[in-house]
Amino acid sequence: MEDVRKRLAAVLREGEKTVERRLDAFLANPDDPETIHKLRISIRTLRSLLAFASPFLKRRRHRLLQSDLRSVVIETSRLREYDVMLRDVRALDVPYGELAEKIIELRVLERDRVMDVMGGRHTRRALARVRRRVESLPWKDSVRKRGVMRDDVLTVFDELVRTVDEGYATVDRSDADAVHTLRKRSKRVRYVGESFGTLLGERAAAEGARMKGVQDELGDVCDARVNAEMAHDLLDLGLSDEARGALEVLLGNNQAFIASFVTGAAR
């Protein structure tokens, strides 16, 4: 039987290269919301692919890879959250006064901070370590002896799908952390199905596509929860009555969406 380690490694190396390309694109055009969004997706994708391969990797070395990637992507969260909030404010059907301009001001400050971090020493060193470790993956000693068979990765994938399906059926929808964890697992199925489709087969690609719906639903409620928290904070900025009124509408919309999700009405 074929040892598929080379096929796994090739996908992971391409994922790492995509992160570098997306970082360069963000640094070249940080005012485009899509550049930070795509950078975040590339890092989350690589983290998902590494997590999928983790049963075959040395545990400590895998954790170091994940730690470096997380230390980079976590710095981009607030910038993306401003972009999502700005999009939702502009979609309101009520006048929003200077609210959009205020969010843009906050985004500019956060953009400058993120630019410093993404172009700085910490990010360069973290991604250099990731590059080296992905180019020479830390396979477990047992894996080096017997290899990785296609059935091995199919088993890992099937277990991941089962975990998400069971989690979706039983998750406490009022528990934000539990929902967020389930969202990350559904993303993992999607990214693995898309990236390893030629290795895992058509069924895996179909499962990945199915998980997009789960990911989108859970992503919408996670965004709504963050939006609601940010809206509470912005209420203290001394806005005009018009802008404050729009913010209260935005807050109400998000709270209503969260409530419908918790009761199951948003399915």
Side-chain angles (χ1 to χ4, degrees):
M1 294 181 66
E2 178 192 4
D3 181 354
V4 300
R5 278 184 295 167
K6 288 184 178 179
R7 298 174 70 179
L8 291 170
V11 172
L12 292 170
R13 284 196 297 270
E14 182 55 35
E16 186 278 323
K17 291 176 183 176
T18 300
V19 171
E20 293 190 10
R21 290 194 297 268
R22 296 283 171 80
L23 175 59
D24 289 342
F26 167 69
L27 292 174
N29 191 10
D31 290 324
D32 182 352
E34 282 303 302
T35 62
I36 190 64
H37 185 41
K38 289 180 178 179
L39 172 60
R40 286 172 54 78
I41 289 174
S42 69
I43 297 174
R44 290 200 308 258
T45 298
L46 181 55
R47 293 193 72 197
S48 293
L49 301 183
L50 284 165
F52 176 68
S54 65
F56 314 113
L57 303 175
K58 292 181 178 179
R59 181 177 299 179
R60 181 175 178 276
R61 300 281 293 280
H62 170 253
R63 286 178 175 172
L64 290 173
L65 273 163
Q66 293 286 8
S67 178
D68 276 330
L69 288 168
R70 184 179 184 278
S71 74
V72 175
V73 74
I74 199 171
E75 296 288 350
T76 67
S77 297
R78 181 59 76 180
L79 186 59
R80 175 60 183 166
E81 289 161 3
Y82 281 134
D83 287 335
V84 171
M85 174 172 265
L86 186 60
R87 177 200 67 194
D88 292 350
V89 166
R90 287 170 169 164
L92 290 173
D93 57 4
V94 299
Y96 48 78
E98 79 278 13
L99 181 57
E101 286 73 17
K102 176 57 68 174
I103 297 171
I104 290 171
E105 289 177 11
L106 295 170
R107 187 197 191 276
V108 168
L109 293 173
E110 182 63 9
R111 176 206 65 194
D112 291 345
R113 188 195 69 80
V114 175
M115 284 282 288
D116 287 342
V117 174
M118 293 298 106
R121 179 182 299 178
H122 168 75
T123 298
R124 290 197 305 271
R125 289 182 172 178
L127 294 185
R129 288 191 295 268
V130 170
R131 186 185 316 116
R132 289 195 301 270
R133 289 166 179 155
V134 169
E135 288 174 351
S136 181
L137 286 167
W139 301 111
K140 289 180 177 178
D141 293 340
S142 59
V143 169
R144 291 186 181 278
K145 291 178 181 178
R146 69 174 292 270
V148 178
M149 303 298 112
R150 182 170 180 270
D151 284 349
D152 296 332
V153 292
L154 282 171
T155 298
V156 174
F157 184 76
D158 289 344
E159 176 63 18
L160 178 58
V161 173
R162 184 190 64 79
T163 299
V164 174
D165 284 339
E166 291 182 356
Y168 185 79
T170 61
V171 69
D172 179 355
R173 290 179 158 233
S174 65
D175 186 333
D177 290 337
V179 171
H180 183 60
T181 296
L182 183 60
R183 178 194 185 190
K184 290 190 291 186
R185 288 175 177 166
S186 68
K187 285 180 184 178
R188 189 177 303 168
V189 174
R190 178 188 173 189
Y191 295 150
V192 168
E194 291 174 348
S195 300
F196 289 117
T198 58
L199 172 60
L200 297 174
E202 293 182 1
R203 183 178 62 82
E207 289 287 6
R210 179 173 70 88
M211 284 297 164
K212 185 179 186 303
V214 177
Q215 174 192 335
D216 287 347
E217 178 191 7
L218 300 180
D220 286 345
V221 76
C222 289
D223 286 345
R225 282 173 165 142
V226 172
N227 248 346
E229 292 174 2
M230 293 173 68
H232 274 299
D233 294 340
L234 291 177
L235 285 171
D236 297 329
L237 292 182
L239 300 168
S240 68
D241 289 344
E242 186 175 61
R244 186 179 179 86
L247 194 57
E248 289 172 346
V249 170
L250 180 68
L251 177 59
N253 290 347
N254 283 293
Q255 290 174 331
F257 183 81
I258 294 165
S260 69
F261 172 81
V262 170
T263 61
R267 292 191 180 190

